[in-house]
Amino acid sequence: MLSLSPSCSVWPSLRRGAWSVSRAGNAQRPTRRRTFATVAEDAFRIPLIDFSKYRNAASVAEKEQTAQDIVRGFTDVGFIYLNNHGIPEEIVQGAFQKSAEFFQLPIDKKSELAWRDPRANRGFVQVGRERVTQSADAEEIKQLREKAPDYKESMEIGRDWDTTYKNYWPQETDAPGFRRTMLDFFQTCHELHVLVMRSIALGLRLDESFFDDKIHEQYHNLRLLSYPPIKRQLLSGEGQARAGAHSDYGTLTLLFQDSVGGLEVQNPRTGQFQPATPIPGTIVINAGDLLARWSNDVLRSTLHRVVAPPLKAISDTEGITPARQSIAFFCNPNQGAEISCLPTCLVPGSKPKYPPVTTEEYIEAILRKFCWGYVTMASHMSTVISRKPADIIAYLSKLRSNLSGNPLLYTISVSQHTDGSELSNLVSSVRAISEHSVGCLSAAVPSSRPAWQRYSSVSLASFDSQNATLFRSTIPGRKAPLVGRWHAMHKDRKPDPEIPVDQSGEMDWESALSNAYDGSVLSPPLERLSAESIDSVLYFSDNAPEGLSSALSKFSTATQLGLIGASTPFITGRPYTLLHNESIHSDGAVGICLSSPIRPSPHSAFPGLEPITRPMIVTSSEGNLVNALDNANPSGLLLHAIHSHPSASLRSEQGISPELRLYMGTLRQNNGQHELDQLFYITSGDPSRGSIALDTESAPAEGALVQMFLLPSSASPDILGEVQSSRNAKGTRRTQNLTFVSTSIEDGETGSAPHSEDDGDTIVLEDVFLAASENGCVVSRSTGGGHERPWKCSVPGGMVGLQWAT
Ligand SMILES: O=C(O)CCC(=O)C(=O)O
Ligand SMILES: [Fe+2]
């Protein structure tokens, strides 16, 4: 711990020379008066610092002078020019060259890499999209942006290995060498940041390495800037600039500028902006808000802006401001670093000006203040439920103006009481929102609400067209050859005789997955997408999604969720009703591929299940059979569990009640707890051989931790009620949640419940996409390095989904 005694404080050194502290002991930034007369009152010069002495110093003592000069520069002006900084000129020029080549790409190519989210802060920003300002008023920022946009384009690059946010890179063929150059430059700049922060530590009388472990995670931003040539006139209006006045928010910004000029720095004492004229070979470095806060405002984060360069640079009588290029490297502390007043920056006896904050909290607060409404993944997501289709239609019509033309994902579930014309009105109202849409008819979401079977619902998610690609797939699924059936412990549940479609639920992943992916089978829009850019694929399909799922494995890090459409022979005369733009299909699949700036996180829940065995290890499995658990006979274990269960109703003369719904689930560890990961329906078992057959092509592998469960017949999860109450819970962070629910055939069809008071209600669940099917859903979640083998979630009440933080 460093002593807080005055001799260790930075103040004495700063008092030397030009400044005096006039209100010592005050925790506010001291008002300073010039104490020597040789410098004019308003002189405000960015010092030029030769860094070679520091870099080449053999001892800490040799570094002292430069360190103090640097700190003085940041104390007085907030900006320095750094000369002999150690980054070779050809490296800087190489980055400028690649940056220029990037900005010359056609706008379509650059737009594919569009910046989408303030927290990610990555990608291409078009002229006029950004408006840098100090204003914190959302409405004011919006107006400013419309009236006086910043005349610049930029490309933002973050740490490339970040697990939450992805960089957007142009194709190598479009911008050869761009990615490599920028990644190397990022690293080079990071290293210089470390060195300059060390010099600041020394200059502030801290240990030279004080900042090292607080800045090493590289939460930095490399911003390439291109200011196109524009008429000077356009930059002369009030509030108009190439970049409006602002301060930067991190520790330091390393700014590389070309020779055009236009950067201006505000003299905080006079309020006047003064040019930071380019000096060849130097880097302009300024302190950001976080460093100012860290240092209790000893170091200054100074306002700056980019305006038209001085008149002499104007190329002709038209007054065209020449193009300008710059590269800013915004440095930040580690996300978790605590920014609390540096011990040497506190006037003894006084309190720090600011409470401690982590970088993450600080940046989060800035984003809340400055970004008008977080950019969300879906520009709209909601589920509307009502007894009256007309009310749903009225709700949908209100969305039209805002969502028009954007890719739309939807499901429609109609009650038994809805007639054909009401259904087609619902479909037309959804389609009227956008001509680019995919959807399907789904089943009612399980609810304990009375008269539930009389309700219809529509779920919608509208995406930015840059994030979403719709598709239709006719890739055939492959039906499973019937795998060996064992003596049934209980009969398979028979398909409901009223539904003449295949309810067998057989999935033939094995053969689908064993066929190497043949890219030609994906429809053209999907073929064009680059594999890494897609983080999620959502689709609606018939009962044979294996072929599509296999082809989608091209998107090797994407989570795939497929809802098998509800059976609709009595509603539309088709086994499944899938919708794509203006077309209706009875088979195949329709879906959407998404590339979010922030990866959505998968979630799953299987409410109502009752564990009937302890967790066990699979010691032998093959195909869809589990042959041994903890080296014992799985069927025997299951029978024993049922027979020792307190409820006699589980047993029958044959041993197990045929109505019983039994499952085997795989478990994963989460914070020392076991969580259910995948769940397979137990179709049959053979007590003599011991094997248990699962409704999947590949049973959990040997070594997997599993447990057996039953779903009591009384289980009737109130999914809607749960979702509603979780949405209403106070203090929860806003998220968008898409959930596919597997229901039982009986759900929503349980006779006529008594008429209830709330029969007429229309429920709107904002930021929720809730869709159900009695045919279950297909799941293959991204697991960091890849994705799990697809499996089918068919337990009634089982939910799988994606969540986007907003
Ligand atoms: O382009 C420049 O010279 C400065 C840009 C800048 O200040 C910023 O982007 O924060
Ligand atoms: Fe800036």
Side-chain angles (χ1 to χ4, degrees):
M1 199 55 190
L2 280 150
S3 149
L4 295 184
S5 74
S7 64
C8 243
S9 152
V10 67
W11 294 109
S13 77
L14 296 178
R15 277 196 207 106
R16 279 200 325 259
W19 305 107
S20 71
V21 179
S22 62
R23 287 192 289 153
N26 189 325
Q28 300 297 310
R29 177 199 274 273
T31 311
R32 300 177 191 132
R33 279 181 290 110
R34 294 195 176 277
T35 53
F36 67 102
T38 49
V39 180
E41 188 59 30
D42 63 347
F44 177 75
R45 265 185 233 117
I46 301 176
L48 174 61
I49 306 230
D50 179 350
F51 204 43
S52 56
K53 274 229 286 294
Y54 186 94
R55 291 196 299 113
N56 301 328
S59 67
V60 168
E62 275 184 50
K63 297 176 177 174
E64 286 280 353
Q65 187 56 50
T66 315
Q68 282 179 21
D69 290 347
I70 289 176
V71 163
R72 192 166 304 115
F74 289 128
T75 311
D76 295 355
V77 183
F79 273 74
I80 60 170
Y81 289 103
L82 199 69
N83 206 2
N84 298 318
H85 40 72
I87 303 183
E89 186 57 16
E90 59 273 20
I91 301 261
V92 178
Q93 287 317 316
F96 269 92
Q97 176 62 31
K98 290 295 161 196
S99 170
E101 287 169 20
F102 171 81
F103 287 112
Q104 278 156 18
L105 285 175
I107 187 71
D108 295 3
K109 296 272 183 199
K110 290 184 285 188
S111 300
E112 281 171 15
L113 313 172
W115 184 100
R116 292 157 205 180
D117 183 293
R119 283 160 303 170
N121 197 19
R122 285 145 200 256
F124 171 69
V125 183
Q126 233 168 299
V127 171
R129 174 146 183 184
E130 185 175 277
R131 181 51 163 88
V132 201
T133 166
Q134 290 300 102
S135 171
D137 180 74
E139 193 47 37
E140 195 187 329
I141 296 170
K142 194 164 166 233
Q143 283 174 10
L144 264 176
R145 214 158 65 125
E146 278 156 17
K147 204 174 84 195
D150 284 350
Y151 288 103
K152 68 176 185 203
E153 288 183 315
S154 66
M155 176 67 178
E156 313 279 341
I157 298 164
R159 19 181 261 161
D160 205 45
W161 58 94
D162 201 275
T163 48
T164 314
Y165 304 116
K166 293 172 285 183
N167 278 324
Y168 301 117
W169 296 109
Q171 300 283 348
E172 191 58 26
T173 43
D174 291 334
F178 177 81
R179 182 181 178 144
R180 189 68 269 149
T181 303
M182 294 312 161
L183 288 179
D184 291 347
F185 197 61
F186 193 103
Q187 183 61 33
T188 304
C189 289
H190 167 71
E191 284 161 18
L192 181 59
H193 175 236
V194 173
L195 274 190
V196 179
M197 289 300 283
R198 282 187 190 157
S199 74
I200 291 174
L202 269 188
L204 289 177
R205 315 257 153 163
L206 293 162
D207 193 78
E208 189 186 14
S209 61
F210 178 88
F211 293 110
D212 282 12
D213 63 353
K214 302 169 185 70
I215 55 172
H216 68 291
E217 289 170 5
Q218 309 200 19
Y219 283 96
H220 312 313
N221 244 75
L222 174 60
R223 173 183 292 179
L224 312 178
L225 286 145
S226 163
Y227 302 88
I230 58 166
K231 284 196 178 164
R232 174 168 284 271
Q233 232 183 325
L234 280 172
L235 288 181
S236 57
E238 202 198 311
Q240 282 171 326
R242 282 184 146 167
H246 66 281
S247 59
D248 299 340
Y249 63 69
T251 49
L252 296 175
T253 303
L254 314 184
L255 184 78
F256 304 80
Q257 50 174 345
D258 66 11
S259 60
V260 173
L263 175 65
E264 291 186 342
V265 173
Q266 190 186 47
N267 177 341
R269 287 172 281 278
T270 63
Q272 279 178 343
F273 279 90
Q274 302 189 8
T277 310
I279 304 179
T282 65
I283 305 173
V284 174
I285 304 185
N286 60 296
D289 298 344
L290 257 180
L291 187 56
R293 180 179 172 130
W294 217 342
S295 69
N296 215 23
D297 284 340
V298 167
L299 308 179
R300 190 187 283 280
S301 171
T302 301
L303 282 184
H304 52 285
R305 67 182 185 190
V306 183
V307 296
L311 262 174
K312 62 179 171 21
I314 290 191
S315 58
D316 64 19
T317 50
E318 276 280 277
I320 300 289
T321 307
R324 174 171 184 266
Q325 251 195 289
S326 66
I327 300 178
F329 188 72
F330 300 99
C331 309
N332 292 309
N334 297 346
Q335 266 194 329
E338 189 181 86
I339 311 302
S340 57
C341 180
L342 296 169
T344 54
C345 291
L346 196 58
V347 175
S350 65
K351 286 206 177 104
K353 288 172 72 173
Y354 307 100
V357 69
T358 64
T359 307
E360 195 174 14
E361 288 161 351
Y362 183 81
I363 291 178
E364 174 93 19
I366 294 188
L367 293 176
R368 277 192 195 289
K369 224 153 128 196
F370 292 99
C371 301
W372 47 101
Y374 272 24
V375 176
T376 57
M377 177 48 210
S379 54
H380 175 89
M381 194 181 270
S382 66
T383 295
V384 53
I385 307 169
S386 176
R387 240 196 96 198
K388 300 187 193 137
D391 287 357
I392 298 182
I393 290 169
Y395 172 80
L396 297 175
S397 66
K398 281 192 250 147
L399 297 175
R400 220 176 287 171
S401 56
N402 282 342
L403 309 181
S404 152
N406 287 348
L408 185 70
L409 183 81
Y410 66 96
T411 56
I412 300 177
S413 141
V414 286
S415 81
Q416 297 165 335
H417 306 269
T418 311
D419 65 30
S421 69
E422 279 174 327
L423 172 60
S424 58
N425 286 343
L426 277 174
V427 173
S428 324
S429 316
V430 174
R431 285 173 165 175
I433 296 174
S434 174
E435 62 275 26
H436 306 295
S437 62
V438 289
C440 79
L441 295 199
S442 58
V445 173
S447 166
S448 61
R449 210 176 166 84
W452 186 237
Q453 74 283 1
R454 294 169 187 272
Y455 283 70
S456 297
S457 76
V458 172
S459 296
L460 296 168
S462 166
F463 297 90
D464 189 316
S465 53
Q466 282 166 341
N467 293 336
T469 307
L470 300 177
F471 65 89
R472 152 89 180 130
S473 162
T474 52
I475 302 171
R478 275 157 263 212
K479 298 308 300 168
L482 271 187
V483 282
R485 292 277 174 212
W486 304 87
H487 308 290
M489 280 196 297
H490 62 74
K491 293 187 211 92
D492 287 335
R493 270 175 75 214
K494 289 223 177 67
D496 187 325
E498 286 182 0
I499 299 183
V501 289
D502 179 12
Q503 294 285 320
S504 72
E506 294 290 347
M507 295 268 159
D508 184 13
W509 304 115
E510 208 58 43
S511 61
L513 293 171
S514 64
N515 284 358
Y517 160 65
D518 167 9
S520 65
V521 293
L522 278 178
S523 59
L526 299 197
E527 252 185 292
R528 279 198 298 273
L529 294 174
S530 82
E532 323 79 72
S533 66
I534 301 302
D535 55 60
S536 29
V537 185
L538 304 168
Y539 63 86
F540 307 124
S541 80
D542 63 12
N543 211 11
E546 310 82 17
L548 172 63
S549 186
S550 164
L552 288 175
S553 63
K554 159 186 174 181
F555 303 114
S556 55
T557 57
T559 288
Q560 289 177 32
L561 296 179
L563 183 75
I564 298 177
S567 305
T568 54
F570 302 119
I571 301 172
T572 60
R574 298 164 183 268
Y576 305 95
T577 307
L578 309 175
L579 304 130
H580 180 221
N581 300 338
E582 286 299 304
S583 320
I584 304 185
H585 306 281
S586 308
D587 56 15
V590 296
I592 191 163
C593 287
L594 298 172
S595 58
S596 349
I598 309 174
R599 225 167 231 294
S601 41
H603 59 82
S604 55
F606 310 98
L609 284 176
E610 187 188 320
I612 50 170
T613 64
R614 62 191 157 81
M616 292 170 287
I617 304 276
V618 176
T619 42
S620 165
S621 69
E622 61 176 312
N624 70 324
L625 303 177
V626 175
N627 296 326
L629 290 173
D630 286 348
N631 292 317
N633 167 332
S635 289
L637 288 166
L638 183 57
L639 278 171
H640 180 257
I642 300 291
H643 283 274
S644 42
H645 195 278
S647 166
S649 65
L650 307 183
R651 302 183 274 277
S652 76
E653 279 163 23
Q654 296 103 307
I656 292 183
S657 161
E659 293 308 315
L660 210 52
R661 291 182 284 202
L662 296 167
Y663 298 88
M664 183 178 288
T666 59
L667 304 177
R668 83 176 112 82
Q669 290 270 8
N670 189 7
N671 290 331
Q673 305 265 31
H674 287 152
E675 265 176 18
L676 198 47
D677 190 30
Q678 301 182 332
L679 197 64
F680 304 101
Y681 181 58
I682 298 177
T683 54
S684 58
D686 175 358
S688 57
R689 292 179 191 230
S691 303
I692 276 179
L694 302 178
D695 177 19
T696 175
E697 285 304 309
S698 45
E702 286 162 18
L705 188 64
V706 298
Q707 191 167 14
M708 291 195 262
F709 299 86
L710 70 80
L711 188 70
S713 52
S714 58
S716 55
D718 178 13
I719 309 270
L720 182 69
E722 271 167 38
V723 170
Q724 256 182 305
S725 54
S726 73
R727 294 321 286 178
N728 296 338
K730 290 235 161 61
T732 45
R733 215 180 138 149
R734 219 187 122 205
T735 53
Q736 288 185 322
N737 234 302
L738 174 139
T739 308
F740 291 163
V741 188
S742 161
T743 71
S744 66
I745 294 170
E746 300 84 36
D747 282 331
E749 295 180 11
T750 46
S752 58
H755 216 274
S756 100
E757 283 169 13
D758 62 359
D759 243 12
D761 288 1
T762 296
I763 305 165
V764 175
L765 300 169
E766 295 286 352
D767 294 320
V768 168
F769 186 109
L770 197 54
S773 170
E774 73 282 6
N775 294 317
C777 22
V778 176
V779 188
S780 169
R781 291 162 295 190
S782 159
T783 54
H787 51 71
E788 67 188 333
R789 283 177 89 84
W791 60 282
K792 187 178 170 187
C793 171
S794 61
V795 57
M799 292 180 268
V800 292
L802 287 177
Q803 175 172 302
W804 288 268
T806 61

